[in-house]
Amino acid sequence: MSVFILQYMHTMSTQKQTKINLVLQNMAPGAVLTSNWLTVHGVSNNLARRYVSSGWFERIGQGAYIRYGDDVDWQGGLYALQSQLGLKVHVGGLSSLRLKGMGHFLSLDADQSIQLFSGSAKPLPAWFRETDWGVQIQHRTASLFSNAENLQMSSVPHKSFEIEMSPPELAAFEMIHGIKDNSDFDHARTVFEGLSTLRPKESQELLQTCKSVRVKRLFLWMARDCGHPWFKYMDMEKVDLGSGKRVVYKGGKLDQEFLITVPRPEGVSDV
């Protein structure tokens, strides 16, 4: 074998080694690596497959890899959706409140599921949906606000990165939106007791841009019923609460201010 060929093979091997080193240096430990991200960093699909064969990567689905031996959980998958694929999906509702330390009243069952919210009905990538993350993932789609694209998110650190989630005010609206029966109502009302520090300005803005009359009335009723100090700052003249009555709590009594049915106080009847 000629010296030229040997030098060429050595050069190519060095380049490949340098590229994988750069990839490993730029990746966030604990995160999924998507084909999009790898392409930006100079790794083609063919090269990614070679990295799998060489033991550098492990393929977890179409267009998704992890570093071999890396401990990747659902947060690492969500981080890839948010930061690498640019999807508008976030942790919301009860899950966000729990991760923010505000879900002290959540049941043990709630700890076993993660609620993700997005405004698009388009399903999440198959690799994310089909991977066993060790928790149940609930993807909820709802066009709840007129300014959905401009909603402010908060974040929580996890390992070497951060994931986006609803701030407490938005999470409260998402939680209420998910109420389907009396049990959900009672659970949400209990959780709402712990939301005494919601920010009035942010809550007011959400009230004014929320498109669901039912959710807005419930949010205000719960705030008033819990006696939260920020409730007095809500300017209801700027909030469209619609007209007519809404049956929310089956077998409940009608709240005369917000015209929704709510649980009956013990020992009190409508007579």
Side-chain angles (χ1 to χ4, degrees):
M1 187 176 294
S2 69
V3 175
F4 174 78
I5 294 177
L6 288 173
Q7 289 177 337
Y8 175 78
M9 293 176 62
H10 176 74
T11 300
M12 293 302 295
S13 176
T14 301
Q15 288 178 347
K16 289 180 181 179
Q17 187 69 20
T18 301
K19 182 168 290 186
I20 187 60
N21 286 339
L22 288 174
V23 169
L24 297 178
Q25 289 171 13
N26 284 289
M27 67 174 285
V32 170
L33 304 176
T34 64
S35 294
N36 297 48
W37 186 90
L38 290 171
T39 298
V40 170
H41 289 80
V43 178
S44 65
N45 290 334
N46 287 335
L47 184 55
R49 284 192 287 269
R50 277 185 243 154
Y51 286 161
V52 172
S53 299
S54 301
W56 288 106
F57 290 167
E58 179 181 347
R59 185 175 182 270
I60 64 170
Q62 184 175 357
Y65 305 84
I66 62 174
R67 183 176 181 178
Y68 186 80
D70 200 0
D71 181 19
V72 180
D73 47 26
W74 68 266
Q75 291 97 323
L78 177 61
Y79 171 76
L81 298 181
Q82 294 175 338
S83 65
Q84 298 178 25
L85 301 182
L87 299 184
K88 296 293 185 180
V89 57
H90 62 272
V91 182
L94 292 167
S95 296
S96 179
L97 293 173
R98 175 166 57 82
L99 291 173
K100 285 289 187 181
M102 305 180 76
H104 305 300
F105 301 102
L106 295 186
S107 66
L108 291 177
D109 290 341
D111 289 340
Q112 305 306 314
S113 65
I114 299 297
Q115 297 175 354
L116 301 182
F117 287 77
S118 60
S120 172
K122 185 178 180 180
L124 299 177
W127 63 261
F128 184 84
R129 291 184 281 112
E130 296 170 3
T131 296
D132 181 6
W133 300 112
V135 295
Q136 180 185 0
I137 302 291
Q138 301 175 354
H139 180 214
R140 300 183 177 181
T141 59
S143 180
L144 192 55
F145 298 91
S146 59
N147 63 336
E149 291 298 316
N150 298 318
L151 289 174
Q152 295 296 313
M153 293 290 143
S154 61
S155 62
V156 62
H158 181 73
K159 296 185 178 179
S160 62
F161 50 85
E162 294 184 341
I163 56 173
E164 290 188 343
M165 61 177 53
S166 301
E169 296 79 19
L170 176 56
F173 277 81
E174 293 169 335
M175 173 183 69
I176 291 173
H177 178 66
I179 293 176
K180 295 181 178 63
D181 52 34
N182 287 7
S183 177
D184 289 341
F185 186 108
D186 292 335
H187 190 197
R189 170 60 181 77
T190 302
V191 174
F192 212 93
E193 290 180 8
L195 304 183
S196 61
T197 59
L198 294 191
R199 297 167 295 179
K201 179 181 177 182
E202 285 73 8
S203 298
Q204 180 72 35
E205 290 177 353
L206 290 171
L207 281 167
Q208 292 178 208
T209 57
C210 181
K211 296 189 290 185
S212 170
V213 168
R214 174 180 174 273
V215 170
K216 288 183 286 189
R217 292 186 188 182
L218 274 171
F219 180 88
L220 289 168
W221 178 84
M222 288 191 181
R224 188 199 68 192
D225 194 56
C226 290
H228 289 327
W230 49 265
F231 173 70
K232 63 184 177 183
Y233 298 106
M234 299 298 96
D235 187 351
M236 281 177 273
E237 291 186 0
K238 295 181 179 179
V239 181
D240 179 9
L241 292 177
S243 60
K245 303 173 183 178
R246 299 288 194 281
V247 177
V248 177
Y249 197 92
K250 293 182 179 179
K253 64 182 293 290
L254 182 69
D255 180 83
Q256 296 298 328
E257 181 177 6
F258 297 116
L259 299 181
I260 55 175
T261 55
V262 296
R264 300 172 183 271
E266 293 185 11
V268 176
S269 68
D270 289 336
V271 180

